[in-house]
Amino acid sequence: MWYTSLPVVRHYRLLSQGFTLLALVLAATSLMGLDTRLASLPANQTTLALALIVAIGQWRWTRQGVLTSALVSWPLCLCLVALLFGACAPEDWLPVERQSGLFSRLVTPATLLDWRPPLVELLVLTLLTLGVLARTRSSLGVPLLHMSCFLLLLLDQTPLHHWLPSAALPHDHSLIVTAILGLLLAGQWVGVVSGWRPTRDSLRRGLWPSTLLVVTTLVLWQYLEIQADNALQHLGRREGRAMEERLASEFNDVLHSLQQLQVFLAQSPVPLDSERGKQLTEPLEHHFPYLTALHLEGLQSTGSGSRSGFQSEPSPATARRTDSRPPRVVLEPRLAADASPAELAIALWLPLTHPEGHPLGRPFGHLAATLSLPAMTADMYQPGPAGAGTLQVRLAHDGHLIQEWPMRGHPSPWAVSLPLKAIPLDALSEGAATSATRYLPLELTLRPDTRLLERLRSRLPAVTLVLGLLFSQFLYLTLFSQHQMASQHRAIARSNGDLRREVRTRHRLQQQLSWLADHDELTGLPNRRHLQATAQAWRERLPLSVILVDIDHFKHINDCLGHAEGDRVLKAVARLAQETLGDNGLLGRYGGEEFLVILPEGRQADACAVAERLRRAIRQAPLAHHDGTPLTISLGVACQDHSPLDLTRLIQQADQALYLAKHQGRDRVVPFDNTADTVDSAPPAGTPSFSA
């Protein structure tokens, strides 16, 4: 095109090469480990490797290496489309295990989910690759590809991205990757923007509606991601509540068993000794292995040697506790100063009170138990089967880690945290919790690995995003093609109109030329050529008569009145003769002031009558010579009633008759006498010859 040789376009090309080369160098250095944190993540390594291949193909394209660029870009495009299909395919169509199984043959021990780039980066890489393959053709949707890449990269850097970590699975938000993709987009756009000038009207017609559809698709995609994230949050909370119920059930079993022992000790009439206490506590210690200590304060001591112990006289602190506190369940978490977080324990005090009517009705002691919270929560979570994905479960109290179940796969960026209300710190009113009930502050954090999150998350947002971008591309191509075809149709219609006008003009000119070839320009009557052609066409309509008409003394009119007056007289005679003759024959100008009349199927007598009418019409017309005398004509008539027709001889005979009419005094009709011997085969001297 003419504009490709402009200096500004050459500057565009150099700028495009600069952006592409910068992206290529940045991707190569990041992939080689200059940014170790970025390159250590498998998904980022894949993104950098794919971006490096795109940069190589785009660099070859900027250097006019179309074949090399296609050889690099086509396999990459197929690979990216396969990865997109794996990210969008439902679990029933393409299970995660099957994808990971196919990928495990290439890279081990990581899975495909660990190496697959995030959806946004995968889409941007695909669009950039398609842009390289489409080159400068706006008719293939390159402007919309660039606009979609820009909007996706812009959305990838907004705060909304951090609200939806499940949408970026697995994703470590990196400005390096975004900068590389942005440089590739800038280099590609600068390199092709000059090629859109010839189609800018069609480009505008198709770009804005399709861009609006892209924006609508992105908004809908974010809405569906919010819904999917809420669904994942609901699943996480449901799993957390199930663990909370298991922990609460376990604690209630311990508490119920201790309460039964409390009631038995308070109502037992038999004094409790060490052997009796050991028999009562051993089943509890065996059934609840996390029961680290169980003793009765205020009763007879049995010494040490068991986790249970008994005190005959209450200590001052115990006496104060039992005297000052009402008979209720008291739960107090206790953490030793030199203990690790895993040794967090819960101390329970259950007061022992004599039954009503007993002489000693006041509390006489209490039952004390210590529970190991890590041991009690050890069976709170049961991991699923291998290959289905695992959860990382963390249980903490006031920032101290109590229990953790590690995952086997790569951790995902998505997690859910919720407080557990499993262990009440107050006695429950009538066995039921109220809004004022205090609970032991425990926090449960659930974080699935990438495989489990891939199984649980909905494919609808990804499918909506991909299909929306695809439909917007179709919309752009449709609107662009329609506008292009409409422009072409208008151009063709204009060309057809010009062509039709040219044809009509040429037809009129041809008609004029044809008319001029067969007619006299002054009088509008047929000329000799037309007369001869008509006579030949009527050669079967015998007898055929001709009348040769000559204006008397016409030379005097030209000499005295001028040629303009002579032309006026010729036109007037032609008009009057045509009106008088009507449809009886053909009147034409023979030459100069002579006219010829051809009468088919007319005998000589009929021709003489017609000639007489012509003579009288001219005689009676308001036409005069220069001296005022009326204008007259002389006429010679000839007829041929046998074939073949000899038109030349017939006209010669009429010319001889006309010569006789002039010789006899003019203003008369003289027929040719076929029997007379005065007519020679040649016309008189000075008679013009007949030619077409």
Side-chain angles (χ1 to χ4, degrees):
M1 303 298 289
W2 60 270
Y3 51 81
T4 56
S5 60
L6 297 177
V8 66
V9 177
R10 291 198 293 269
H11 295 327
Y12 285 162
R13 290 177 178 174
L14 293 177
L15 191 60
S16 174
Q17 294 174 8
F19 283 142
T20 304
L21 184 60
L22 183 60
L24 193 152
V25 173
L26 188 59
T29 54
S30 301
L31 191 61
M32 287 188 296
L34 295 182
D35 187 355
T36 56
R37 183 191 63 83
L38 178 65
S40 62
L41 297 175
N44 283 335
Q45 293 180 14
T46 306
T47 304
L48 290 173
L50 294 175
L52 180 62
I53 299 175
V54 174
I56 293 174
Q58 185 169 319
W59 170 256
R60 290 302 304 155
W61 166 69
T62 58
R63 302 293 295 176
Q64 305 299 322
V66 179
L67 179 60
T68 308
S69 175
L71 292 177
V72 173
S73 301
W74 274 114
L76 177 62
C77 183
L78 296 178
C79 177
L80 291 173
V81 170
L83 291 175
L84 274 177
F85 179 76
C88 300
E91 183 70 16
D92 297 337
W93 292 8
L94 190 61
V96 177
E97 290 78 7
R98 182 178 299 177
Q99 299 183 49
S100 301
L102 296 175
F103 187 76
S104 62
R105 301 177 183 177
L106 302 176
V107 179
T108 56
T111 64
L112 175 63
L113 301 179
D114 300 327
W115 288 90
R116 188 170 64 197
L119 180 62
V120 173
E121 296 175 359
L122 195 58
L123 277 172
V124 173
L125 288 170
T126 305
L127 296 177
L128 289 175
T129 306
L130 292 175
V132 171
L133 292 174
R135 300 193 296 276
T136 62
R137 304 175 191 174
S138 58
S139 59
L140 296 181
V142 176
L144 185 62
L145 295 179
H146 291 173
M147 181 63 72
S148 301
C149 289
F150 174 75
L151 293 176
L152 286 171
L153 291 177
L154 183 65
L155 182 63
D156 200 36
Q157 295 298 324
T158 56
L160 185 62
H161 172 84
H162 300 283
W163 301 347
L164 300 172
S166 61
L169 143 85
H171 185 65
D172 183 19
H173 201 63
S174 173
L175 291 176
I176 298 296
V177 175
T178 305
I180 294 172
L181 298 178
L183 287 173
L184 289 175
L185 175 61
Q188 195 174 126
W189 181 80
V190 170
V192 302
V193 66
S194 60
W196 298 341
R197 297 179 184 177
T199 57
R200 57 182 179 271
D201 294 335
S202 300
L203 191 151
R204 286 195 296 265
R205 180 66 60 87
L207 184 60
W208 297 119
S210 55
T211 302
L212 181 60
L213 181 58
V214 172
V215 173
T216 305
T217 299
L218 293 178
V219 173
L220 180 60
W221 170 58
Q222 292 297 316
Y223 172 75
L224 294 176
E225 284 290 356
I226 293 174
Q227 299 299 319
D229 188 75
N230 291 337
L232 289 175
Q233 294 282 349
H234 176 71
L235 290 176
R237 287 192 295 269
R238 188 174 64 181
E239 182 67 20
R241 295 309 173 196
M243 297 180 187
E244 180 185 48
E245 291 177 0
R246 287 193 290 269
L247 180 59
S249 176
E250 192 72 21
F251 178 78
N252 290 334
D253 290 344
V254 177
L255 185 60
H256 181 67
S257 299
L258 293 176
Q259 287 175 342
Q260 288 182 344
L261 180 60
Q262 174 194 16
V263 172
F264 177 79
L265 292 176
Q267 297 180 355
S268 177
V270 179
L272 186 65
D273 55 10
S274 60
E275 291 295 331
R276 182 62 175 168
K278 187 176 182 180
Q279 292 177 358
L280 292 175
T281 57
E282 277 185 352
L284 293 178
E285 295 173 355
H286 178 73
H287 186 70
F288 303 107
Y290 45 82
L291 192 62
T292 59
L294 178 62
H295 56 274
L296 300 171
E297 295 184 3
L299 301 178
Q300 182 181 358
S301 176
T302 61
S304 61
S306 174
R307 289 183 295 179
S308 301
F310 302 93
Q311 221 174 314
S312 57
E313 294 296 334
S315 63
T318 303
R320 285 194 301 271
R321 235 182 352 254
T322 56
D323 292 341
S324 61
R325 293 188 178 185
R328 63 191 179 92
V329 178
V330 180
L331 308 178
E332 295 182 1
R334 182 175 59 190
L335 178 65
D338 57 347
S340 63
E343 297 179 0
L344 182 65
I346 300 176
L348 291 85
W349 287 270
L350 282 77
L352 300 177
T353 306
H354 290 292
E356 295 181 1
H358 195 278
L360 301 174
R362 62 182 179 81
F364 63 91
H366 61 270
L367 178 63
T370 303
L371 306 178
S372 174
L373 190 58
M376 186 173 62
T377 59
D379 298 331
M380 186 176 66
Y381 170 66
Q382 299 295 332
T390 56
L391 277 174
Q392 181 190 42
V393 182
R394 296 172 60 92
L395 184 64
H397 166 66
D398 288 341
H400 298 283
L401 181 64
I402 298 176
Q403 190 67 263
E404 181 179 10
W405 290 266
M407 65 177 63
R408 292 187 290 268
H410 191 280
S412 69
W414 183 88
V416 59
S417 299
L418 66 158
L420 293 186
K421 297 180 179 180
I423 303 177
L425 296 178
D426 299 324
L428 301 182
S429 176
E430 297 181 358
T434 62
S435 59
T437 302
R438 296 183 303 117
Y439 290 89
L440 182 66
L442 298 176
E443 184 179 7
L444 183 67
T445 303
L446 304 177
R447 183 184 297 275
D449 62 4
T450 55
R451 182 174 300 181
L452 179 59
L453 187 56
E454 183 72 13
R455 290 171 58 89
L456 295 178
R457 74 183 185 95
S458 174
R459 303 294 200 280
L460 182 60
V463 173
T464 301
L465 178 60
V466 174
L467 291 181
L469 294 179
L470 187 62
F471 289 156
S472 64
Q473 192 71 15
F474 287 156
L475 177 62
Y476 171 84
L477 294 177
T478 301
L479 295 177
F480 184 90
S481 301
Q482 286 182 349
H483 190 267
Q484 283 288 95
M485 287 189 293
S487 301
Q488 294 175 0
H489 289 168
R490 287 193 295 269
I492 293 174
R494 288 193 297 269
S495 300
N496 289 339
D498 296 340
L499 182 60
R500 284 194 296 268
R501 286 190 294 272
E502 183 68 20
V503 169
R504 286 195 296 267
T505 302
R506 289 177 178 271
H507 182 66
R508 286 195 299 269
L509 292 175
Q510 185 177 5
Q511 287 180 337
Q512 291 176 3
L513 291 175
S514 178
W515 187 86
L516 290 175
D518 294 336
H519 293 77
D520 176 60
E521 185 177 3
L522 178 62
T523 60
L525 297 177
N527 57 13
R528 291 187 183 185
R529 181 176 179 274
H530 193 185
L531 290 171
Q532 183 182 20
T534 304
Q536 293 296 331
W538 291 349
R539 64 182 177 273
E540 302 298 334
R541 301 176 62 181
L542 299 178
L544 183 69
S545 300
V546 295
I547 303 174
L548 192 60
V549 182
D550 183 78
I551 301 176
D552 296 333
H553 303 295
F554 182 75
K555 186 176 183 301
H556 293 167
I557 297 176
N558 286 333
D559 294 341
C560 299
L561 300 179
H563 289 278
E565 183 64 20
D567 293 341
R568 187 186 69 80
V569 170
L570 288 174
K571 290 189 286 187
V573 171
R575 184 180 66 257
L576 289 174
Q578 185 67 44
E579 292 175 356
T580 303
L581 182 63
D583 297 333
N584 293 330
L586 178 63
L587 173 65
R589 186 178 179 186
Y590 185 65
E593 69 275 11
E594 294 182 348
F595 298 89
L596 182 67
V597 179
I598 301 176
L599 299 174
E601 299 178 355
R603 297 186 179 277
Q604 191 171 14
D606 299 331
C608 291
V610 172
E612 184 64 25
R613 289 201 304 273
L614 291 175
R615 188 190 68 79
R616 291 178 180 177
I618 299 301
R619 176 80 180 184
Q620 297 172 2
L623 297 174
H625 287 283
H626 65 285
D627 56 358
T629 58
L631 184 68
T632 59
I633 59 175
S634 300
L635 301 95
V637 181
C639 179
Q640 181 177 346
D641 55 0
H642 59 275
S643 59
L645 177 63
D646 189 355
L647 185 60
T648 302
R649 182 174 180 77
L650 186 61
I651 294 177
Q652 289 178 355
Q653 293 174 358
D655 189 27
Q656 292 180 13
L658 176 61
Y659 176 78
L660 292 177
K662 287 182 174 293
H663 184 70
Q664 293 175 5
R666 295 183 173 84
D667 190 20
R668 66 188 66 241
V669 177
V670 176
F672 178 75
D673 187 4
N674 291 325
T675 62
D677 199 22
T678 59
V679 179
D680 298 329
S681 59
T687 302
S689 60
F690 184 85
S691 61

